[in-house]
Amino acid sequence: MAKQIIIEELVDAVIKATERPIDEWAVAATLESMGLRDVDAVHDFGKRDIFDLASDIFQKCLAKLQYRSSLGEKDEALGARSQITSFFRFYSSGLMFAMPMAGQIAMLFILRYSLWAYFDFTEEQATIVALGTILGFIVTGGFIQVIARRGIFYREQKLYALVKGVCFHITKIATVAIFAIGIIVYLVNALFPFLSQQMIIVSLMYYVLTAHLWISMSLLYTLEKRLAILIATLFGVGVVYLVLTMTTWDIMPAQWCGLLAADIMMYAIGYIVLHRWKQKMEGNLRLAKLPRESVLVYAVRYYFIYGTLYFAYLFLDRIVGWSSSTGADVPYLFWFRTSYELGMDWALFSFIIAVGSLEYSIRRFSQIMIPKQKKFLGWDSSLHNRYFTRFYLRQCVLLVITTIISITLVYYGGICIRDHFPDVRLVQDFFANPLTFTVFWAGAAGYALTTIGLLNCSFFFTLSRPTLALRAIVPAFVVNLIVGFILSRAISYEYSVYGLVAGALVFAVISTINGWRLMRSLDYYYYSAY
């Protein structure tokens, strides 16, 4: 009995040292590192040598680990309530990223205006504002992706000095790029006028201010200060309200003041948080320096390209449709189409609700990756990959269910608002044109397929495989452009939305194929990612 107790102690010691021994040779090495010799194996345990003892202990280790694994599976099965709680916690966290946009839409219905939108804009005014905000998204898309990628990378290592350094370094480069591209657009318009001189100046004002808004939002998102983003944007709307009520200024100058106030507030919050984080660092960690510029560029180049292409892909249907004169006469090269935009904005609500589940999927993946790996032996890579492939499929099913629910809620929510407020002109104007409904359903389908692509890209980025995301977004962009251009010119401008649907289908299919292959060989991709 005493000998059995000693062996059990050795089993526990080996498991503690190795977590899961690879084979009996590893157990033998562990025993020798503990000071056991051949003579001890013979006299104390009645074995031929240390390797004979290791063989016995190895089998006992496997049996004990198998027993613990079965207990863990039971606990996991009984922990359904915990998983549901985890889903809603991470899902709500994901929704927080979209709350500033939802807040702006809410302000639009309450006050008739937000930081960059206004219900009483003429189509000419809406055109120049929309072009400015869209250009801001596209120009900053790559920088947003880089700030988030490198900032979170350093934040997770608690290298707050590097978080501060990389975030503000990239912000400075982005600021230079924003103004440089603004100047180029102004000069091109002067040589080849596609907007009047006054229109291009107003559009560039919105472009510069909203571009900085997206950059400052990405900074706070990296710092996980999502509530601060909502507060800052609502503060900006408050400034718009004060300017309109206390001065004789028009809506556009008031919105510029609000955007500037929101920009300054978010930058200030980001600086204060990073400064405090850096002050808490101790020792040599405070002396850490960023890599050389060339090394940094090499590390983030694919993420930058993806971010730029993604936002270009997301707004391409508007650019293609608004530049088409088929089905309507337009005075300029680009012309805002109210009914089309209302349909896409309506569909955008379903996109916002569905995207929240991505936060749960990727957080859950990161949460279980290492614990689950420890339950598989080195030669059980096929079982390991099979487990995570099933996990991946469950996340795809969850996303599809969430997307269907979100589209249903948004559609019937809109219908309910229309039917319960028949005397409110603002509400009735929103649903006045049947084209809005057509665009909604097509836009909702395009956004639903896009969320599938984003889910896959989230896994790619977690495993440091940005090229897999590029292989999906590049053909999606090309198909979006070609299909949308042909249909909007051959039939009518609103058919550009089907370019988004076709591009989103390509994005979803290619990224899912790559995602499936990645999960089937996850042992390799995880090992090579770090």
Side-chain angles (χ1 to χ4, degrees):
M1 178 64 70
K3 183 183 295 184
Q4 183 65 27
I5 292 175
I6 294 175
I7 288 181
E8 288 300 321
E9 290 176 351
L10 287 178
V11 169
D12 290 336
V14 169
I15 291 175
K16 183 177 180 180
T18 64
E19 294 186 346
R20 176 178 284 272
I22 299 174
D23 51 29
E24 53 195 58
W25 302 100
V27 174
T30 304
L31 294 176
E32 288 178 339
S33 69
M34 295 165 58
L36 291 174
R37 304 163 298 173
D38 284 331
V39 65
D40 299 319
V42 174
H43 290 291
D44 296 341
F45 301 98
K47 301 296 182 180
R48 294 191 304 273
D49 51 30
I50 195 72
F51 296 102
D52 188 25
L53 176 62
S55 178
D56 184 31
I57 289 178
F58 178 61
Q59 296 302 321
K60 292 181 182 299
C61 285
L62 294 183
K64 184 165 240 182
L65 289 169
Q66 181 65 30
Y67 175 70
R68 289 181 181 178
S69 178
S70 65
L71 289 179
E73 290 172 1
K74 292 178 183 178
D75 291 341
E76 189 173 350
L78 293 172
R81 181 182 298 179
S82 175
Q83 290 192 33
I84 293 173
T85 302
S86 177
F87 169 76
F88 283 107
R89 180 163 61 91
F90 290 136
Y91 178 75
S92 60
S93 177
L95 281 183
M96 278 300 297
F97 181 64
M99 284 305 294
M101 187 68 69
Q104 292 302 301
I105 296 174
M107 290 296 100
L108 188 59
F109 279 95
I110 295 171
L111 301 174
R112 301 183 66 87
Y113 55 79
S114 66
L115 277 178
W116 59 84
Y118 182 45
F119 262 120
D120 294 326
F121 273 152
T122 64
E123 287 197 335
E124 177 179 307
Q125 291 172 322
T127 297
I128 57 181
V129 174
L131 288 177
T133 53
I134 290 174
L135 181 62
F137 269 118
I138 296 173
V139 171
T140 60
F143 295 106
I144 291 171
Q145 190 68 231
V146 170
I147 288 174
R149 179 67 186 178
R150 299 308 293 181
I152 293 174
F153 174 75
Y154 291 129
R155 188 197 72 203
E156 290 178 345
Q157 300 178 66
K158 301 187 184 302
L159 297 173
Y160 300 125
L162 296 186
V163 177
K164 181 179 180 180
V166 75
C167 285
F168 285 105
H169 179 63
I170 296 173
T171 297
K172 290 176 183 177
I173 298 174
T175 300
V176 173
I178 289 167
F179 282 104
I181 292 176
I183 292 172
I184 292 172
V185 170
Y186 179 82
L187 294 175
V188 170
N189 186 73
L191 294 174
F192 309 99
F194 53 87
L195 293 175
S196 69
Q197 190 74 1
Q198 181 181 0
M199 289 175 69
I200 195 65
I201 292 175
V202 173
S203 184
L204 288 176
M205 283 293 294
Y206 278 98
Y207 154 69
V208 170
L209 291 169
T210 56
H212 281 95
L213 188 71
W214 316 143
I215 291 293
S216 57
M217 281 185 180
S218 68
L219 173 62
L220 294 187
Y221 172 78
T222 300
L223 304 180
E224 294 192 319
K225 300 299 179 182
R226 302 179 187 185
L227 182 60
I229 299 176
L230 176 61
I231 293 172
T233 52
L234 293 179
F235 172 74
V237 176
V239 171
V240 177
Y241 175 80
L242 290 175
V243 172
L244 288 175
T245 55
M246 299 179 66
T247 71
T248 58
W249 290 9
D250 199 359
I251 181 65
M252 287 187 169
Q255 287 180 328
W256 297 342
C257 292
L259 285 167
L260 182 60
D263 288 347
I264 293 173
M265 184 175 183
M266 281 192 271
Y267 278 123
I269 293 173
Y271 181 85
I272 292 170
V273 171
L274 284 171
H275 181 72
R276 288 179 177 175
W277 283 6
K278 185 178 178 180
Q279 293 299 109
K280 292 180 181 178
M281 295 180 66
E282 299 177 354
N284 294 330
L285 289 178
R286 300 187 65 178
L287 303 177
K289 294 183 179 180
L290 290 173
R292 295 195 308 272
E293 193 82 22
S294 58
V295 175
L296 183 62
V297 171
Y298 181 82
V300 303
R301 66 195 189 286
Y302 292 132
Y303 299 98
F304 181 87
I305 297 171
Y306 171 83
T308 303
L309 280 176
Y310 170 71
F311 281 107
Y313 151 87
L314 207 59
F315 293 104
L316 188 58
D317 65 289
R318 273 91 154 181
I319 297 171
V320 171
W322 295 349
S323 62
S324 172
S325 59
T326 307
D329 295 327
V330 294
Y332 293 98
L333 178 61
F334 298 98
W335 194 250
F336 187 87
R337 313 301 177 92
T338 303
S339 298
Y340 184 95
E341 184 61 26
L342 290 178
M344 293 303 291
D345 288 345
W346 191 11
L348 188 63
F349 271 107
S350 66
F351 182 67
I352 291 172
I353 295 174
V355 163
S357 67
L358 300 183
E359 182 87 2
Y360 165 77
S361 295
I362 206 62
R363 289 284 191 98
R364 182 67 178 161
F365 179 66
S366 301
Q367 198 177 54
I368 69 173
M369 173 62 78
I370 294 178
K372 288 297 180 182
Q373 280 187 335
K374 293 178 179 178
K375 292 187 176 183
F376 296 96
L377 294 173
W379 53 74
D380 285 340
S381 60
S382 60
L383 294 176
H384 167 270
N385 295 342
R386 196 177 307 153
Y387 173 85
F388 280 99
T389 300
R390 290 197 299 268
F391 169 82
Y392 167 72
L393 291 176
R394 289 197 300 271
Q395 304 315 303
C396 290
V397 171
L398 174 64
L399 180 60
V400 170
I401 294 173
T402 305
T403 301
I404 292 173
I405 293 174
S406 67
I407 293 174
T408 304
L409 288 176
V410 168
Y411 176 74
Y412 284 105
I415 297 301
C416 183
I417 291 173
R418 181 196 65 180
D419 295 343
H420 282 76
F421 298 95
D423 299 327
V424 179
R425 180 186 171 187
L426 182 64
V427 173
Q428 297 308 311
D429 287 349
F430 188 98
F431 300 99
N433 194 329
L435 188 147
T436 298
F437 288 82
T438 302
V439 172
F440 165 79
W441 286 112
Y447 287 142
L449 292 168
T450 298
T451 59
I452 297 175
L454 292 178
L455 173 66
N456 291 308
C457 289
S458 296
F459 287 117
F460 301 155
F461 292 147
T462 300
L463 296 170
S464 301
R465 294 287 169 173
T467 54
L468 295 179
L470 282 178
R471 291 172 189 172
I473 196 66
V474 170
F477 177 87
V478 173
V479 170
N480 188 348
L481 175 62
I482 294 174
V483 173
F485 185 86
I486 292 175
L487 293 180
S488 64
R489 269 62 180 177
I491 306 176
S492 184
Y493 73 87
E494 69 269 18
Y495 281 77
S496 64
V497 70
Y498 294 104
L500 173 64
V501 176
L505 180 61
V506 171
F507 187 33
V509 170
I510 295 179
S511 64
T512 300
I513 292 173
N514 291 335
W516 178 261
R517 291 173 177 170
L518 181 142
M519 291 298 169
R520 293 292 298 272
S521 303
L522 185 62
D523 58 321
Y524 164 74
Y525 283 107
Y526 183 78
Y527 169 77
S528 60
Y530 303 102

